[in-house]
Amino acid sequence: MRLLVTGGAGYVGSHIVWALSDRGDEVVVYDNLRQGHREALPPTVRLVEAELADEAALDAVLGDGHWDGVLHFAALSLVGESMQRPFHYMTENAGLGIRLIDACVRHGVGRFILSSTAALFGNPETMPITETTRIDPGSPYGESKLMIERALYWADRIHGLRYACLRYFNAAGADPAGRSGEDHRPETHLIPLIIEAALGLRPEILVFGDDYPTPDGTCVRDYVHVSDLAQAHLAALARIETGSATYNLGSGTGHSVLDVIRSVERVSGRPVPFRMMPRRPGDPAVLVAGSDLIRSETGWTPQYTVLDDIVATALAWRQAHPNGYGNAA
Ligand code: UDP
């Protein structure tokens, strides 16, 4: 297949690009490199360094031959930031995402895969979260992804664009072959921050809240390995042939913040200093995915079901790249 991947140089996107390249697809990455890294990509992959807002650049790429599909990862993705700048998230994420869909329709692209999020479920009362759980975004970030999902629904109904919306829970880990890993600037995600604390790259990890209604009082999340996410994208591309679909993507198991700290301690063999802090605004107590639908409809099965195995891949990548991309040890 010939595929365009927006945001393909980012954390999740780059793992999908590797998986597509591994199976022989022709992949072009469209990325402004504000969060992405050239070094995260296979050397043979063409990178178009441009803004999604640059309509001329986007039209030039989409007009350059036939495209079998577009995979859309380029987005702002911080829940907390979206609570500060709601309209920025709506114009950047929803606005540009919808313009991308429009461009795909104009250029005759037949398949679209959206990197969506568990954040559009807000703070649900029952777990696990399935595709029939009530949607109620807890943040403008979640809302912005929902707006793109709805635009895709109409793109299919009116223009026949086949799509898959993949709602990730907590993407974690790194390519087991060490070809790509997690390097956000600034880093806000739990596992890389704990690893930094274990490696002495930061003094401690701050735990946001120990008074949640969970077994140990800290938030519970569903950590799903990026390589499993990558395989889910391949499965979704095949599934699209028989119609559009929307799936939750998680491992189905919840781990508390303290569970993750203990896991990093076990895997690294080093203590992780931590300090209890007040809750972080916008954080739901528990988010665990029910992924039965994608399993039954595509045969997808996560290979990483043990948290320590996920953490081990993230730790290995970070040990090989103590300063992230561009500074391999
Ligand atoms: N978390 C924490 N300390 C940190 C970063 C995150 O306690 O320095 C908690 C956060 O409150 C949440 C969980 O770890 O319950 C996962 O957070 P992350 O930002 O990695 O992902 P999110 O679930 O927000 O998408």
Side-chain angles (χ1 to χ4, degrees):
M1 285 186 147
R2 184 161 185 260
L3 301 164
L4 183 69
V5 184
T6 75
Y11 171 46
V12 179
S14 62
H15 286 83
I16 278 82
V17 169
W18 275 104
L20 294 167
S21 301
D22 286 346
R23 71 169 198 178
D25 286 353
E26 182 190 341
V27 181
V28 175
V29 167
Y30 190 100
D31 199 303
N32 62 14
L33 295 188
R34 256 186 267 160
Q35 283 291 329
H37 310 272
R38 181 69 184 90
E39 304 91 317
L41 296 171
T44 50
V45 160
R46 182 180 151 215
L47 169 69
V48 177
E49 191 179 339
E51 298 289 337
L52 208 51
D54 184 342
E55 282 182 73
L58 191 59
D59 262 329
V61 173
L62 286 173
D64 171 21
H66 171 78
W67 294 98
D68 294 301
V70 168
L71 292 86
H72 179 42
F73 297 90
L76 306 170
S77 61
L78 300 178
V79 169
E81 184 185 52
S82 82
M83 299 294 279
Q84 310 288 326
R85 304 182 69 194
F87 307 119
H88 182 57
Y89 267 67
M90 291 189 191
T91 49
E92 288 285 310
N93 278 3
L96 297 182
I98 292 166
R99 265 166 52 182
L100 173 65
I101 296 166
D102 180 20
C104 287
V105 168
R106 279 189 284 110
H107 288 280
V109 177
R111 303 172 187 83
F112 193 103
I113 298 212
L114 173 66
S115 163
S116 190
T117 174
L120 48 81
F121 293 108
N123 203 349
E125 276 160 22
T126 50
M127 291 295 145
I129 299 170
T130 73
E131 289 77 5
T132 58
T133 299
R134 193 169 70 92
I135 287 174
D136 181 17
S139 65
Y141 166 65
E143 188 77 45
S144 70
K145 291 283 183 171
L146 177 60
M147 291 161 108
I148 308 176
E149 287 199 4
R150 295 302 302 164
L152 284 170
Y153 167 80
W154 289 107
D156 184 0
R157 239 179 103 168
I158 296 172
H159 297 291
L161 176 70
R162 291 275 177 84
Y163 68 87
C165 297
L166 301 180
R167 298 167 174 165
Y168 316 150
F169 283 60
N170 288 61
D175 177 35
R179 301 173 299 181
S180 186
E182 187 165 13
D183 181 3
H184 295 106
R185 314 275 173 106
E187 189 56 77
T188 62
H189 294 101
L190 185 65
I191 291 180
L193 289 175
I194 297 177
I195 287 174
E196 286 179 11
L199 297 180
L201 299 168
R202 67 174 57 241
E204 62 185 354
I205 177 86
L206 305 177
V207 176
F208 298 141
D210 62 354
D211 57 352
Y212 284 98
T214 61
D216 65 22
T218 66
C219 286
V220 170
R221 294 287 181 274
D222 182 335
Y223 296 91
V224 55
H225 196 280
V226 267
S227 298
D228 284 328
L229 289 183
Q231 292 308 311
H233 286 73
L234 305 189
L237 270 173
R239 168 67 177 76
I240 279 182
E241 302 305 327
T242 55
S244 297
T246 296
Y247 296 125
N248 292 353
L249 269 184
S251 72
T253 310
H255 297 284
S256 73
V257 175
L258 292 179
D259 288 339
V260 182
I261 290 175
R262 302 287 175 237
S263 172
V264 173
E265 288 184 328
R266 269 193 306 276
V267 174
S268 68
R270 299 185 193 197
V272 172
F274 64 88
R275 188 150 48 105
M276 292 302 179
M277 299 293 285
R279 294 180 178 195
R280 184 172 71 173
D283 271 344
V286 182
L287 289 175
V288 178
S291 299
D292 291 353
L293 193 61
I294 186 166
R295 287 173 191 250
S296 66
E297 290 195 357
T298 74
W300 174 78
T301 318
Q303 301 301 305
Y304 286 85
T305 54
V306 176
L307 181 61
D308 286 10
D309 296 341
I310 297 177
V311 164
T313 62
L315 179 67
W317 188 82
R318 196 56 208 260
Q319 282 174 321
H321 303 78
N323 301 310
Y325 282 108
N327 294 293

